Amino acid sequence: MTRIREADKSHRPGTRAIHAGRIDDLNAGAIMPPIYQTSTYRQEALGVNKGYEYGRTHNPTREAFERNVASLEGAEYGFAFASGLAAIDVLMKLLKAGDHVICGENVYGGTMRLMVRVYEQFGLTFSFVDMRDAEAVARALKPTTRMVYCETPTNPMMFLTDLKAVGDITQAHGLLFAVDNTFASPILQRPLDFGANLVMHSTTKYLNGHSDMVGGIVVTRRDDLAERLGFLQNASGAVPGPMDCWLALRGTKTLPLRMKQHEANGRQIAAWLTTQKAVKKIYYPGLATHPQHELAKRQMKGFGGMISFDVGDPERARKILGGTRIFALAESLGGVESLIGHPASQTHAAVPLAMRQAMGLTDSLVRLSCGVEEAEDLIEDLAQAMD
Ligand SMILES: *Cc1c(COP(=O)(O)O)cnc(C)c1O
């Protein structure tokens, strides 16, 4: 179980991103954390060691990464996993058969698949509710409810959950409140400050930021949850390799810088989309026309680089998706390079059609992950694809 050190709590986010979790390399004084590419550690005598016995349980490179992200989220403890879904899998393992979970109805398709197709088999039950309305959480409460789970902003509809309002409900009822903070990153939003007890990320996305590894992380402030998460991380064993931790840790150093550029591009492209006749609807919390823009300003420090827009006709969407040259047609998000995607057939194909339609996730919806290239080039690219 990795706990941050006092030193990891000092300074502001931009400085923490670079220094928190640092390994002081006594061998050579390396500035970069060494990649401890080892499965086991030499023991001085039976039961005498440096705190490291086996690679699934402990790895110094992994710990440096866990401390770094925990520090950025304002948490005390961090637990890295082999993927975002492996992290969510462990969140589910905090529960037991008979427990009920209230989950936002618009979550990553794989999250819903894990809940419904894996964990319902083990006796967990789920209610999927529209968490734009905090009261919907109160209405869905049952005597067996143990956890509330949400994403905000959501993928791909950019719905927001009022973290403070839901945090108050979960606190009043003694429930766990878990938030997938992948879209915002800790630079734009820190759910623990609003009453969440658990925050997870697909580190594959903004935290690593370079589309060259797959990973996940869970952070918390609570000692009791950390105890159990540490146990589960080791007992279930879906840990990331040291090289992937090193890559992600290299990524978080520039997270504050990258988020500034993602955000600047997101705002500029969203504003441009509002001027386009072909665009029927735009979903971006940074636009004053977004129904939850005021909430976004209250709980986020910025609006990020994710934009969805509806062109009203699936054939038109298909042409745009096939016509961009800088925006690559690909799943995933949060990398330095811009991506364009089609949620209905890619990331959210596993979500039942009726549910997709009810929330506006149509076949003509296009999702952009604005990278950190020059906004003018990105706009020209979209313009020629829409032409
Ligand atoms: C990608 C993603 C996940 C799943 O993470 P993986 O690293 O692909 O396992 C979970 N939540 C959100 C919001 C995501 O974008």
Side-chain angles (χ1 to χ4, degrees), residues 2 65 86 91-92 117 119 130 174 181 222 229 293 356 369:
T2 305
F65 174 54
L91 291 180
M92 295 297 109
R117 298 195 39 201
Y119 277 96
D130 181 351
N181 202 28
R222 262 174 55 177
L229 288 166
H293 181 59
R356 286 207 306 262
S369 170

Side-chain angles (χ1 to χ4, degrees), residues 89-111:
D89 184 71
V90 156
L91 291 180
M92 295 297 109
K93 287 178 177 143
L94 291 171
L95 307 173
K96 59 181 192 325
D99 287 347
H100 173 244
V101 179
I102 300 171
C103 181
E105 67 178 358
N106 179 205
V107 286
Y108 179 72
T111 303

Side-chain angles (χ1 to χ4, degrees), residues 187-188 255-265 372:
I187 302 305
L188 303 185
L255 181 65
L257 283 174
R258 286 186 284 111
M259 291 316 292
K260 272 188 202 150
Q261 186 67 20
H262 285 299
E263 155 102 6
N265 287 352
V372 300

Side-chain angles (χ1 to χ4, degrees), residues 26 87 127 163-164 175 196 199 212 243 264 311 353 375 385:
L26 301 177
S127 298
L163 292 170
K164 172 77 170 58
L175 309 176
V199 168
D212 51 15
M243 182 71 199
V311 290
L353 180 65

Side-chain angles (χ1 to χ4, degrees), residues 81-85 87 200-205 213-217 240 244:
F81 294 94
S83 71
L85 277 174
M200 70 74 52
H201 284 273
S202 166
T203 56
T204 315
K205 317 293 170 52
M213 54 74 79
V214 169
I217 199 160
D244 282 349

Side-chain angles (χ1 to χ4, degrees), residues 273-292:
L273 285 169
T274 62
T275 67
Q276 298 304 296
K277 269 210 311 292
V279 177
K280 308 298 176 215
K281 285 200 183 118
I282 305 174
Y283 304 95
Y284 183 67
L287 288 174
T289 50
H290 187 283
Q292 295 175 292

Side-chain angles (χ1 to χ4, degrees), residues 89-375:
D89 184 71
V90 156
L91 291 180
M92 295 297 109
K93 287 178 177 143
L94 291 171
L95 307 173
K96 59 181 192 325
D99 287 347
H100 173 244
V101 179
I102 300 171
C103 181
E105 67 178 358
N106 179 205
V107 286
Y108 179 72
T111 303
M112 189 174 276
R113 182 178 57 198
L114 177 69
M115 290 176 172
V116 173
R117 298 195 39 201
V118 179
Y119 277 96
E120 279 189 354
Q121 288 191 324
F122 291 98
L124 296 187
T125 60
F126 298 88
S127 298
F128 294 95
V129 306
D130 181 351
M131 274 204 212
R132 282 174 293 179
D133 175 14
E135 283 308 305
V137 174
R139 285 194 298 274
L141 285 171
K142 295 181 185 182
T144 51
T145 306
R146 278 275 338 269
M147 178 186 278
V148 175
Y149 183 101
C150 75
E151 290 174 22
T152 179
T154 64
N155 176 18
M157 300 312 300
M158 310 306 284
F159 296 155
L160 304 195
T161 294
D162 185 332
L163 292 170
K164 172 77 170 58
V166 174
D168 288 348
I169 294 169
T170 53
Q171 200 169 5
H173 292 84
L175 309 176
L176 297 177
F177 182 20
V179 177
D180 180 337
N181 202 28
T182 301
F183 259 42
S185 92
I187 302 305
L188 303 185
Q189 175 174 275
R190 296 207 329 187
L192 297 177
D193 294 343
F194 295 92
N197 331 105
L198 296 153
V199 168
M200 70 74 52
H201 284 273
S202 166
T203 56
T204 315
K205 317 293 170 52
Y206 283 109
L207 291 190
N208 176 59
H210 295 76
S211 308
D212 51 15
M213 54 74 79
V214 169
I217 199 160
V218 175
V219 301
T220 186
R221 286 178 185 163
R222 262 174 55 177
D223 299 338
D224 59 333
L225 292 175
E227 190 76 43
R228 188 69 186 162
L229 288 166
F231 170 79
L232 289 169
Q233 183 190 39
N234 183 54
S236 288
V239 293
M243 182 71 199
D244 282 349
C245 293
W246 186 88
L247 283 167
L249 186 54
R250 176 189 228 201
T252 57
K253 288 180 197 300
T254 56
L255 181 65
L257 283 174
R258 286 186 284 111
M259 291 316 292
K260 272 188 202 150
Q261 186 67 20
H262 285 299
E263 155 102 6
N265 287 352
R267 280 179 188 241
Q268 219 171 314
I269 291 167
W272 176 79
L273 285 169
T274 62
T275 67
Q276 298 304 296
K277 269 210 311 292
V279 177
K280 308 298 176 215
K281 285 200 183 118
I282 305 174
Y283 304 95
Y284 183 67
L287 288 174
T289 50
H290 187 283
Q292 295 175 292
H293 181 59
E294 290 308 314
L295 173 61
K297 286 201 286 193
R298 259 200 326 276
Q299 68 186 22
M300 302 178 76
K301 294 194 185 76
F303 311 109
M306 297 302 300
I307 305 172
S308 296
F309 61 97
D310 202 318
V311 290
D313 169 27
E315 197 42 44
R316 208 179 163 84
R318 179 179 296 278
K319 288 213 174 98
I320 296 169
L321 288 156
T324 53
R325 294 166 191 157
I326 300 177
F327 281 90
L329 176 58
E331 302 206 16
S332 200
L333 62 110
V336 290
E337 65 292 311
S338 292
L339 301 180
I340 188 165
H342 187 239
S345 69
Q346 294 177 326
T347 47
H348 289 69
V351 179
L353 180 65
M355 206 166 188
R356 286 207 306 262
Q357 283 171 340
M359 67 176 107
L361 203 167
T362 65
D363 288 346
S364 51
L365 189 80
V366 175
R367 191 190 78 179
L368 301 179
S369 170
C370 301
V372 300
E373 302 96 333
E374 304 245 1

